Amino acid sequence: MSRARVLLLNAALGPLDYRVPHGMHVEPGSIVVAPLGPRQLLGCVWEPERLPSDAEVGDNRLRPLLAAADVPPLRAPLRRLIEWTADYYLAPPASVLRMTLASTSALEGAKLVIEYRATGDTPDRITLQREQALDRIGERQGLIRELATIAGVSDAVIRGLVKCGALRPVEVDIDSPYPVPDPAHAPPELSQAQAGAAATLVADVQARAFAPTLLDGVTGSGKTEVYFEAVAAALREGRQTLVLLPEIALTEPFLQRFHARFGCEPVAWHSGLRSTQRRRAWRAISTGEARVVVGARSALFLPYAQLGLIVVDEAHETSFKQEEGVHYHARDVAVMRGRFEGCPVILASATPAIETRQQVTLGRYAELQLPERHGAAEMPHIEAIDLITEPPERGRWLAPRLVKAMHETLERGEQCLLFLNRRGYAPLTLCRTCGHRFQCPNCTAWMVEHRLIRRLACHHCGHAEPTPRVCPECKEEDSLVACGPGVERIADEVAALMPQAKVAVVTSDTIWSPAKAAEFVARMEARDIDVVVGTQLVTKGYHFPNLTLVGCVDADLGLEGGDLRAAERTFQQIRQVSGRAGRGEKPGRVFIQTHSPKAQVMQALITGDAQAFYDAETDARREAGAPPFGRYAAIIVSSEDQAAALEIARLVGRSAPEVEGCHVYGPAPAPLAMLRGRHRYRLLVHARRALDVQDVIRDWLGALDWPAKVRVTVDVDPYNFL
């Protein structure tokens, strides 16, 4: 071809045409370097009929392509996925393509690089920055820039440590091959129910056709072992498998289970990888050498050479919804990728989302059920503690019955887990003298006290500042008081009530990497932890046979805020965390502290009647025309200039089209009216299910203009209503 349509990695531009120089071979999917003014940009060659250009010019005016990357072209199924994602989520195709080309170094030829790791020697001249760097780097290895980022110091500090011998160079072959998992390494002994489900999934893999299946099994029923048999089938077929996990912290425990089953670890893909690791993984995925990939949601857009199976583990998790950049939902995009690739998709969950259950009801998804725990393990006994009739002692947050059960559990040498989905020590700090409340300067949110690091922090923008001793308003000393509990405060209470117990706080502040997760798992298995106090990070994926007691400190917390999925999310979280108890031979107990024990969601948790809860929730959604029976889309207008944001939000509201079956509410200030220094106004579009709401919004906003300082973002199928 002498002329090529190229989608550049610039969201502000549409596709552009270029001349293909003599001797250069490109085809749809080829990754190329193209000139744009004085710059050179990466792009992908596309079919002209699928991406029309607004700037077509004659052959004599075309600029030539500069180079073609020495990597396999992006296959047609991936290009169709990029088009679908951009169209459905109203995102620029270039923004979606950027997720595919997530490692630009992977487009370069094979090479060796020099990384650095600690020698264990202490330099003669030790400064605070050098001490901090060596402490944070620990056993890690990486490029100078990566180590500087990890350590929170400048590149010059790292170079100084290299020069004085505290860090040594390590030559890394960044394209060395990965080991191949062995499907026959250690096959498990499956129960009759597990074997039946596994046989169905294996048959789907062997059929090499699109087949979405919900694998619905109670916690501890062995869902992972069942879908591992489908992974083994894909390996025997010579095809690749993608396993999506909702949290980076779950990666390490999963890798260990995978290694035990297949004899080696899969290829990992997540934000914690070094650039050299990302390059190696990307290239191996694109050639088909990486046979099994486990990763976060971004792994969906990688260029698999021969994808034969997709597994979405914990498919109900809301963290599969991307809230920045392209607002896609990985669960739904995974199903679409399976459709384009012609391969089965397994959605594994103990608490499937109502949207997924509705697809099963409509016959679009198959369903396999595992209603009982594997082996001798039984579901835990669940009790409610009415905080109105059984309140905690004054100044405490744990009810006497839960404290008594914890003492009994620890006396038997067993472990406890306390769940509270609130990081830090307290959600609000105020002055008891003048009432001053500490609010984030960049967001309309309270600063959360973290006593472990002596900081007040905003969990929305990351702003942090030292906890003051003096009220900034009235200047009174020692007048600041923490209001409400966070996990750190609960951990302090446990330490005071049970001074001999070894307590661990598990949140995204303490488990921020797979290595930290592995350290936590090792301590639990070695019984070096007696009581875990954690957020939703501990509600899924972990298997501790000696953990027999779970306490939900504030089960009503998730019901606040008016979110349409609040009851469903609360049910999922508490059901999942309850499932951590009694996973071995020892029976488990769960105590749910609540002010509303008669509420429908609490009764469903206590009685175990999930079906009744889901039926009632589904009926309520159907009556309200809420998803999955209707459609929502949010339009967020934001700017650092509040007046400009309000003006454009009103313009968008005035211009709302009158379409049958479509209602537009707003604009109104968003619940988080300011986020990261930007003022925010929100409109909500509510449409009937059959309406193509994307076309309505595309025509509506496409006819409007707004200044560059104002940002208009569309979130199709929103999960976050803040």
Side-chain angles (χ1 to χ4, degrees):
M1 60 194 303
S2 61
R3 181 184 183 114
R5 175 83 29 100
V6 179
L7 178 61
L8 297 171
L9 291 187
N10 186 324
L13 294 174
L16 299 176
D17 289 347
Y18 287 89
R19 177 168 58 83
V20 180
H22 179 70
M24 180 187 293
H25 172 74
V26 298
E27 59 183 287
S30 294
I31 308 302
V32 296
V33 181
L36 184 70
R39 294 178 293 162
Q40 298 180 3
L41 296 182
L42 277 176
C44 180
V45 177
W46 223 268
E47 300 93 329
E49 65 274 14
R50 300 199 67 92
L51 279 186
S53 174
D54 296 331
E56 289 201 40
V57 297
D59 290 354
N60 61 327
R61 297 180 57 194
L62 294 179
R63 298 184 68 181
L65 293 172
L66 300 176
D70 183 23
V71 293
L74 303 186
R75 297 170 57 250
L78 177 53
R79 300 200 301 276
R80 301 297 82 84
L81 182 76
I82 291 171
E83 293 167 0
W84 180 87
T85 304
D87 179 71
Y88 187 87
Y89 292 103
L90 296 174
S95 298
V96 186
L97 176 63
R98 186 176 294 278
M99 294 190 289
T100 295
L101 303 182
S103 174
T104 54
S105 65
L107 307 178
E108 304 167 5
K111 60 181 181 180
L112 298 173
V113 298
I114 302 298
E115 295 185 337
Y116 296 88
R117 64 179 300 121
T119 61
D121 298 334
T122 302
D124 295 334
R125 180 173 165 270
I126 186 74
T127 64
L128 285 176
Q129 284 194 314
R130 285 186 171 187
E131 185 177 2
Q132 173 181 313
L134 291 173
D135 181 55
R136 293 188 180 180
I137 290 170
E139 296 296 318
R140 297 179 186 176
Q141 177 177 312
L143 303 173
I144 284 180
R145 179 86 287 270
E146 291 170 338
L147 295 181
T149 302
I150 290 169
V153 297
S154 68
D155 291 8
V157 174
I158 303 299
R159 290 195 184 95
L161 290 171
V162 172
K163 190 173 181 180
C164 71
L167 297 176
R168 63 180 174 85
V170 180
E171 194 174 74
V172 179
D173 179 359
I174 53 180
D175 286 333
S176 57
Y178 287 99
V180 178
D182 178 6
H185 176 71
E189 291 186 14
L190 301 178
S191 67
Q192 186 174 350
Q194 289 175 325
T200 301
L201 298 177
V202 167
D204 288 343
V205 171
Q206 293 171 340
R208 299 195 174 205
F210 174 55
T213 300
L214 169 62
L215 180 57
D216 181 359
V218 298
T219 54
S221 60
K223 294 184 293 297
T224 304
E225 284 71 21
V226 168
Y227 73 65
F228 271 177
E229 295 310 291
V231 174
L235 287 167
R236 293 187 187 101
E237 295 278 317
R239 308 187 77 193
Q240 293 171 291
T241 296
L242 165 63
V243 181
L244 291 179
L245 300 177
E247 300 277 359
I248 183 177
L250 294 180
T251 306
E252 193 67 23
F254 179 89
L255 296 182
Q256 293 176 6
R257 295 179 72 177
F258 188 94
H259 190 284
R261 169 64 179 87
F262 294 103
C264 69
E265 292 190 353
V267 176
W269 183 271
H270 51 73
S271 59
L273 296 180
R274 309 193 305 271
S275 63
T276 50
Q277 292 173 316
R278 293 173 77 83
R279 171 204 158 89
R280 181 188 177 204
W282 196 98
R283 289 180 72 89
I285 289 166
S286 69
T287 62
E289 177 209 320
R291 300 291 298 280
V292 181
V293 178
V294 56
R297 53 180 178 251
S298 59
L300 254 179
F301 293 93
L302 295 174
Y304 300 93
Q306 42 191 354
L307 195 54
L309 173 65
I310 300 173
V311 179
V312 184
D313 206 350
E314 308 288 356
H316 62 279
E317 270 295 316
T318 56
S319 54
F320 277 126
K321 178 66 191 270
Q322 170 76 21
E323 299 291 354
E324 301 287 341
V326 181
H327 290 244
Y328 68 94
H329 197 300
R331 178 197 64 214
D332 300 336
V333 177
V335 173
M336 292 306 299
R337 177 134 204 193
R339 180 180 173 187
F340 290 127
E341 296 279 357
C343 73
V345 181
I346 301 171
L347 306 178
S349 175
T351 52
I354 289 176
E355 288 86 348
T356 304
R357 289 174 174 269
Q358 180 64 11
Q359 295 293 338
V360 172
T361 301
L362 295 173
R364 295 173 182 166
Y365 295 178
E367 182 180 23
L368 297 171
Q369 293 188 337
L370 298 172
E372 296 180 354
R373 284 189 159 178
H374 182 60
E378 296 181 357
M379 294 299 290
H381 174 70
I382 301 178
E383 299 178 31
I385 297 177
D386 188 342
L387 292 175
I388 295 176
T389 59
E390 296 183 71
E393 295 178 11
R394 183 176 178 83
R396 300 203 184 278
W397 308 96
L398 303 178
R401 185 158 31 126
L402 175 56
V403 173
K404 181 174 181 288
M406 291 178 67
H407 279 294
E408 294 169 352
T409 301
L410 296 179
E411 285 171 4
R412 292 193 302 268
E414 298 166 4
Q415 295 165 309
C416 306
L417 166 61
L418 296 178
F419 168 66
L420 176 63
N421 204 26
R422 186 181 272 155
R423 291 156 54 199
Y425 184 85
L428 171 65
T429 299
L430 56 77
C431 173
R432 63 165 62 90
T433 302
C434 70
H436 173 77
R437 300 183 177 194
F438 287 84
Q439 182 171 322
C440 174
N442 308 314
C443 309
T444 47
W446 305 122
M447 299 282 281
V448 176
E449 182 180 355
H450 289 253
R451 289 203 175 170
L452 292 178
I453 58 173
R454 299 186 184 88
R455 290 285 187 276
L456 294 175
C458 173
H459 290 170
H460 298 284
C461 72
H463 174 79
E465 57 190 53
T467 305
R469 290 186 66 255
V470 175
C471 172
E473 192 79 21
C474 67
K475 309 304 180 187
E476 280 288 323
E477 285 193 27
D478 300 323
S479 65
L480 303 182
V481 58
C483 300
V487 287
E488 293 178 12
R489 192 169 199 166
I490 300 302
D492 280 1
E493 182 172 336
V494 172
L497 291 169
M498 306 160 199
Q500 303 305 316
K502 290 171 283 190
V503 183
V505 174
V506 178
T507 72
S508 57
D509 299 312
T510 60
I511 307 291
W512 66 81
S513 70
K516 283 289 183 183
E519 180 185 324
F520 163 62
V521 170
R523 290 186 62 200
M524 283 292 289
E525 291 176 345
R527 302 192 183 184
D528 189 38
I529 298 172
D530 298 313
V531 181
V532 178
V533 184
T535 60
Q536 64 177 350
L537 203 63
V538 295
T539 64
K540 47 194 174 279
Y542 292 109
H543 176 80
F544 303 123
N546 198 49
L547 198 160
T548 59
L549 177 69
V550 167
C552 297
V553 177
D554 187 352
D556 307 322
L557 183 61
L559 296 173
E560 301 169 359
D563 184 341
L564 82 99
R565 295 183 178 87
E568 180 188 21
R569 188 176 296 136
T570 297
F571 179 82
Q572 289 169 336
Q573 281 187 347
I574 297 178
R575 178 105 167 190
Q576 287 281 341
V577 75
S578 299
R580 299 312 107 196
R583 293 174 71 93
E585 296 181 356
K586 301 173 183 177
R589 288 192 297 169
V590 179
F591 292 89
I592 301 175
Q593 295 191 164
T594 173
H595 289 89
S596 308
K598 299 298 183 184
Q600 185 184 57
V601 63
M602 298 305 165
Q603 284 299 304
L605 288 163
I606 296 163
T607 63
D609 192 354
Q611 193 58 50
F613 169 75
Y614 276 114
D615 288 346
E617 276 291 298
T618 301
D619 289 343
R621 299 260 191 103
R622 185 184 289 109
E623 187 176 335
F629 306 101
R631 306 191 65 190
Y632 284 138
I635 301 174
I636 301 97
V637 181
S638 67
S639 174
E640 294 179 0
D641 182 341
Q642 184 175 11
L646 178 58
E647 180 184 349
I648 298 304
R650 286 174 173 169
L651 170 65
V652 173
R654 287 195 304 270
S655 308
E658 294 186 8
V659 178
E660 184 180 354
C662 179
H663 302 279
V664 179
Y665 304 99
L672 268 177
M674 189 166 73
L675 179 65
R676 301 185 185 97
R678 299 183 68 88
H679 298 274
R680 306 165 76 240
Y681 291 88
R682 185 182 184 93
L683 298 95
L684 187 66
V685 181
H686 183 196
R688 56 186 169 85
R689 188 72 200 170
L691 182 67
D692 191 340
V693 73
Q694 286 89 345
D695 272 354
V696 171
I697 296 174
R698 196 178 286 112
D699 294 342
W700 169 17
L701 297 183
L704 303 178
D705 290 313
W706 50 81
K709 65 181 178 180
V710 176
R711 187 183 302 153
V712 179
T713 305
V714 180
D715 185 1
V716 177
D717 301 338
Y719 268 61
N720 184 346
F721 287 83
L722 294 180

